[in-house]
Amino acid sequence: MATLLPNQSIKCTTTPASRVCSTGASAAYSGTFELAQKFQTSPDSWVLRFNLPDGRKHLGNDPMLPTCISVRYNGTSEKGEEKVLKKSYSPISHPSVDGFFDLLVKGYEIRPGGGVGTFLNSLNVGQKIVAGLKAERIMHGSTVVSRRWKRIGLVAGGTGVAPLIQIIRICLENPTDQTRIQLLSINRREEDILMKTELDRLASDHPDRFSVTYSLTSETRPGGFEWETGRGTVEMVRRNLPPPAGGDGSTMIFVCGMDGFVATWGGPVGRAPPKADGTKGPKIQGPLEGLLKEAGFDESEVFKY
């Protein structure tokens, strides 16, 4: 497997934040971004590096906060009518890198109402995309992740690992942050594991602060501390994630993946009513359910990404 496109290390500081559950937004940016490099990281996934336009140093407005973009693609609706489709992607690069950002993109078969990932992966170096920077994500009352909790657990289903990699980078590359992070990455087969080489490198570079465990749902591997089997159980939670802390603010579990995956682990995510312009309403966390509730976590200790 190819290694990750090079990143830059940083020195930075942040301050703790409150933990009230909410979703919201701040000022955003939109424009065109040119593909600079690409390499294949799994049978159907690529890492794509896009240059920022002249005059913009960082993708986001704050180089210590997670970022997310909405890519626009001229496709068709589910009824087959021409429509501008939008799909959100969280970069896997640290928000502080200068002049570029990296996306991890899985390509799916083009179908009515879809195909953005396949479109991106088919781009040639030098071609451009149109995308907008999405609002900063408010997680239980704050956009801050670094130095906010003592322990972070991350549960990723397939491509759901992408936003979580950015969280890992933000915490690990801050020299004043001592957060301990445990990642559980769940995939069908070993060849489907995305960014394994980079995740293993981060675990090797930060053995006291970051660990990763992989679980396969369609094949088994010889037993060992870094391999599990299955989509998830309460026992798997207890072996591979920080324990519940009674909602004292010291622990946070992030879950990211397809809707069904998130529902299994933390309960379904809802949506507010559509906006006045017809676009989807913001996501609503909804009550904590699923494996994490069964394992004893408080609703304030889980965020469905």
Side-chain angles (χ1 to χ4, degrees), residues 55-66:
R56 191 165 186 90
K57 185 177 182 180
H58 304 130
L59 174 62
N61 300 313
D62 185 322
M64 277 302 296
L65 298 182

Side-chain angles (χ1 to χ4, degrees), residues 8 11 36 85 99 114 126 131 133 208 215 265 274-275 301 304:
Q8 301 173 356
K11 294 187 180 298
L85 304 178
L133 176 67
D208 297 329
S215 183
W265 280 85
K275 299 178 183 179
E301 296 178 311
K304 301 170 223 178

Side-chain angles (χ1 to χ4, degrees), residues 195-216:
M195 308 307 297
K196 185 176 186 301
T197 298
E198 178 66 6
L199 292 170
D200 290 345
R201 184 191 68 77
L202 288 170
S204 177
D205 289 348
H206 304 274
D208 297 329
R209 294 193 53 213
F210 176 59
S211 64
V212 55
T213 302
Y214 304 103
S215 183
L216 304 179

Side-chain angles (χ1 to χ4, degrees), residues 22 52 63 86 109 121 158 223 233 244 294:
S22 178
L52 297 178
K86 298 179 181 179
E109 182 178 350
N121 286 341
T233 63
E294 293 177 38

Side-chain angles (χ1 to χ4, degrees), residues 19 243-251 296-301:
R19 296 178 294 274
D248 67 1
S250 67
T251 299
F297 285 94
D298 185 80
E299 197 167 274
S300 65
E301 296 178 311

